[in-house]
């Protein structure tokens, strides 16, 4: 529950930010998203973005790989994509340049909180200080970006009858 409050506060602060940005903040009204400046309904047109092949380093973080970021943002623009979902990043690395390229291209980021090492195990669900610390560090690293639009806290954690308790 504390994390939900933190995530909501982060999104609220982000949308209310006075940072001059190349991208308009989004707001939520009911079950729909809107551009806060134009009032037009916003429709996500995006992709899950976690390239693992062709990387120039052992870093699986696509937002810290500037060779890939520059290449892919150009393709995203050509495709008319306005959002990407990234599953795994290294919050200790700089993401400023790639996030700015995405912002300038009008692309919003939906970022997963879990990582392979810090996620909720559906077979033995629990929440601990290590997981919270990792998630908090990711919030601290990414909440400054005006094109961060959402945090994703779980991905298929409870996906069958046997794993229903993991949703509690």
């Amino acid at each position: 529950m504390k994390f939900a409050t933190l995530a909501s506060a982060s999104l609220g602060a982000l949308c209310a930010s006075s940072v001059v940005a190349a991208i308009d903040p989004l707001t939520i009204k009911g079950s729909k998203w809107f551009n806060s400046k134009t009032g037009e309904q916003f429709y996500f047109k995006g992709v899950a973005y976690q390239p693992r092949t062709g990387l120039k380093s052992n870093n699986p973080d696509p937002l810290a790989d500037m060779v890939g970021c520059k290449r892919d943002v150009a393709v995203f623009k050509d495709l008319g994509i306005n959002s990407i979902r990234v599953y795994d990043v290294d919050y200790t690395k700089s993401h400023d340049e790639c996030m700015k390229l995405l912002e300038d291209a009008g692309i919003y980021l939906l970022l997963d909180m879990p990582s392979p090492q810090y996620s909720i195990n559906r077979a033995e669900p629990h929440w601990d200080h290590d997981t919270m610390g990792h998630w908090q560090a990711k919030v601290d690293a990414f909440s400054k970006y005006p094109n961060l639009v959402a945090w994703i806290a779980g991905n298929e954690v409870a996906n069958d009858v046997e794993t229903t308790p993991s949703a509690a």
Side-chain angles (χ1 to χ4, degrees):
M1 187 59 127
K2 290 181 183 179
F3 181 75
T5 303
L6 173 66
S8 295
S10 295
L11 182 60
L14 185 62
C15 290
S17 173
S18 62
V19 174
V20 176
I23 199 163
D24 293 340
L26 301 179
T27 59
I28 302 170
K29 296 178 185 174
S31 63
K32 297 179 181 176
W33 293 73
F34 294 88
N35 179 306
S36 66
K37 290 190 177 178
T38 67
E40 293 178 17
Q41 187 171 349
F42 180 83
Y43 297 94
F44 287 92
K45 296 177 277 185
V47 295
Y49 180 57
Q50 197 73 49
R52 299 280 192 206
T53 58
L55 296 175
K56 300 294 181 194
S57 70
N58 290 331
N59 177 17
D61 181 346
L63 303 180
D65 170 21
M66 283 313 301
V67 171
C69 184
K70 287 177 183 175
R71 174 197 65 222
D72 297 342
V73 169
V75 174
F76 294 161
K77 286 170 39 177
D78 288 345
L79 293 172
I81 288 171
N82 66 10
S83 53
I84 60 171
R85 176 184 179 179
V86 175
Y87 292 88
D88 193 15
V89 295
D90 180 347
Y91 59 79
T92 67
K93 298 193 179 300
S94 174
H95 300 91
D96 294 348
E97 193 175 349
C98 186
M99 289 298 291
K100 182 65 174 152
L101 284 174
L102 291 165
E103 177 187 350
D104 290 346
I107 298 172
Y108 295 91
L109 171 67
L110 296 91
L111 183 58
D112 279 42
M113 296 303 300
S115 67
Q117 301 82 14
Y118 297 98
S119 60
I120 298 171
N121 180 336
R122 71 174 62 105
E124 296 177 26
H126 70 282
W127 180 254
D128 59 29
H129 291 288
D130 289 341
T131 302
M132 179 61 186
H134 174 79
W135 290 22
Q136 179 62 52
K138 194 177 281 189
V139 168
D140 291 345
F142 277 87
S143 61
K144 66 183 177 180
Y145 299 117
N147 52 333
L148 172 70
V149 70
W151 299 103
I152 298 173
N155 183 41
E156 300 175 12
V157 176
N159 60 1
D160 59 25
V161 173
E162 287 78 27
T163 59
T164 300
S166 66

